[in-house]
Amino acid sequence: MIGLYDIDLFHGRSFSISLPFMKVYNYLIKQGCYPAIMKKNDKGSFYSQIFYFKENPKLQIPKSLVINSDTGTFLGYGFCGESGLKNPDVINLPPNFTPYDINEKYIKDKGTYTQIKRNGLVSWRDKDFTCKQGDHYFINDYDFFLEEDWCDAFTYFDKTVDFVHPLEPRKEDLKFLVEHSNYGRFTRIRLPKVFEKDELDFCGSIKQGLFSDTELTEEEIFAQYLLLKNTGNQVPYHSFNHSQSLLTKWCNSATTESFVNFCGDNWKQSEWQNFKYYRLLYQNPTTISYSELKEELFTFK
């Protein structure tokens, strides 16, 4: 019996789906084999051969998962160029979604998964377009901006394109994203920390752009939103750790009040005395010039 194991599916924190995983499954089924989709605690001794897939290059293989080289083949991420599966009969097959259907309870973002099944999933890194169908394409690459030809993806597709994983552009990429906004509502863009006015304006113009506490500290978020409010730019802030905090609510509100005034009776001075920008918690972002505010922020460096 052959076992297939998608490390991202069972150990990843966010939505993941692996084209190689589904292609190998489809190939084995067509060859008359019946691969088993391994679960977290399955023992490798049950299988004559095991294929391990890791779509996310950042994901650490759990220490509890021991890959026995006698029976297991670790495929890493990528497909044509990196996995070692160069068999064109496998590469050119469309993916089979059955392995994910039977493990749907592990998929956190079921809405995106349903849309992918109805439309098409592509790997830009590997130029794998075997799952193109319908009127909507999803690009499934992690760290998309590390691809040398990432810009070309925005002009390659003649239909709507979306990204499964959040885009993480650099400052120098912001202008491009403003000018090439042909991506759909499923795309999320985690914006970098910026201080220049033109960069702030770009951030305010990017669809689905947001700041996140996975990228910035609480103090960096506060400084970022002081500048955004000063320049009149509104950008959503998504907090994974403090979604109901007063700072999160201040960032996402249209208010131009100082943070302290916004808090009102909920303001507790003792809780903020060690905050790096404590003095600026009292600052109304619209009663100071941009250059003065920026200078104020840099006095804390």
Side-chain angles (χ1 to χ4, degrees):
M1 181 183 293
I2 297 175
L4 300 180
Y5 190 95
D6 179 358
I7 295 172
D8 283 27
L9 177 64
F10 296 114
H11 295 277
R13 290 181 59 188
S14 60
F15 175 76
S16 76
I17 186 168
S18 170
L19 273 171
F21 181 76
M22 295 188 291
K23 283 172 173 265
V24 170
Y25 178 88
N26 201 13
Y27 175 76
L28 293 171
I29 289 291
K30 290 182 181 297
Q31 295 300 307
C33 301
Y34 294 94
I37 309 306
M38 296 175 62
K39 302 298 190 297
K40 284 184 179 181
N41 300 318
D42 283 357
K43 295 186 181 298
S45 57
F46 293 165
Y47 306 95
S48 59
Q49 190 176 13
I50 304 170
F51 292 94
Y52 297 94
F53 298 85
K54 184 181 79 144
E55 187 73 16
N56 182 352
K58 292 182 178 179
L59 186 66
Q60 297 297 314
I61 299 175
K63 294 180 180 180
S64 59
L65 181 61
V66 178
I67 298 177
N68 186 331
S69 59
D70 294 333
T71 58
T73 303
F74 175 59
L75 298 177
Y77 63 98
F79 188 65
C80 302
E82 304 202 29
S83 71
L85 291 180
K86 299 183 183 297
N87 184 338
D89 293 335
V90 179
I91 292 171
N92 295 322
L93 271 178
N96 186 319
F97 285 88
T98 301
Y100 288 97
D101 289 338
I102 61 181
N103 289 283
E104 190 175 5
K105 65 180 180 180
Y106 295 106
I107 297 176
K108 297 180 177 65
D109 191 345
K110 292 182 175 59
T112 301
Y113 176 64
T114 300
Q115 288 297 320
I116 289 172
K117 287 184 64 178
R118 290 176 179 172
N119 294 281
L121 185 70
V122 301
S123 171
W124 181 255
R125 178 183 60 235
D126 300 322
K127 303 301 181 284
D128 187 341
F129 308 120
T130 51
C131 187
K132 277 177 36 174
Q133 58 191 10
D135 295 324
H136 200 128
Y137 303 147
F138 286 83
I139 295 179
N140 195 37
D141 298 86
Y142 285 84
D143 293 330
F144 178 74
F145 285 93
L146 295 181
E147 303 302 321
E148 292 183 0
D149 60 347
W150 68 265
C151 292
D152 297 340
F154 288 86
T155 54
Y156 176 86
F157 298 95
D158 57 358
K159 297 181 180 178
T160 304
V161 62
D162 247 310
F163 293 83
V164 175
H165 307 288
L167 297 179
E168 298 182 7
R170 300 155 297 187
K171 292 180 184 179
E172 57 266 32
D173 303 326
L174 298 176
K175 185 174 186 291
F176 182 95
L177 289 175
V178 172
E179 297 173 348
H180 298 79
S181 58
N182 56 322
Y183 49 85
R185 63 186 179 89
F186 290 93
T187 298
R188 293 293 177 268
I189 301 176
R190 292 177 183 161
L191 298 169
K193 180 173 62 175
V194 295
F195 287 125
E196 300 306 320
K197 190 176 186 307
D198 61 339
E199 296 170 343
L200 294 162
D201 291 340
F202 288 146
C203 289
S205 301
I206 292 175
K207 296 189 308 178
Q208 277 81 263
L210 55 83
F211 289 98
S212 165
D213 60 9
T214 61
E215 308 300 317
L216 305 177
T217 66
E218 192 175 53
E219 290 170 329
E220 289 172 327
I221 286 291
F222 171 74
Q224 191 67 87
Y225 275 85
L226 262 183
L227 291 168
L228 285 168
K229 289 175 182 293
N230 175 273
T231 55
N233 288 295
Q234 290 191 15
V235 180
Y237 167 47
H238 181 65
S239 174
F240 291 90
N241 303 310
H242 309 287
S243 59
Q244 299 301 315
S245 74
L246 288 169
L247 180 60
T248 300
K249 292 177 180 178
W250 178 77
C251 291
N252 283 321
S253 73
T255 185
T256 56
E257 291 181 294
S258 70
F259 177 71
V260 171
N261 284 350
F262 176 80
C263 292
D265 293 339
N266 293 315
W267 166 251
K268 295 180 180 179
Q269 184 181 28
S270 59
E271 294 181 0
W272 294 90
Q273 286 181 334
N274 294 323
F275 193 72
K276 178 179 179 180
Y277 299 112
Y278 175 79
R279 187 175 75 231
L280 290 174
L281 294 171
Y282 292 84
Q283 176 65 56
N284 181 317
T286 62
T287 59
I288 185 173
S289 71
Y290 167 77
S291 58
E292 290 174 324
L293 180 55
K294 183 180 170 184
E295 185 177 346
E296 277 285 303
L297 287 168
F298 275 97
T299 63
F300 292 92
K301 296 294 182 184

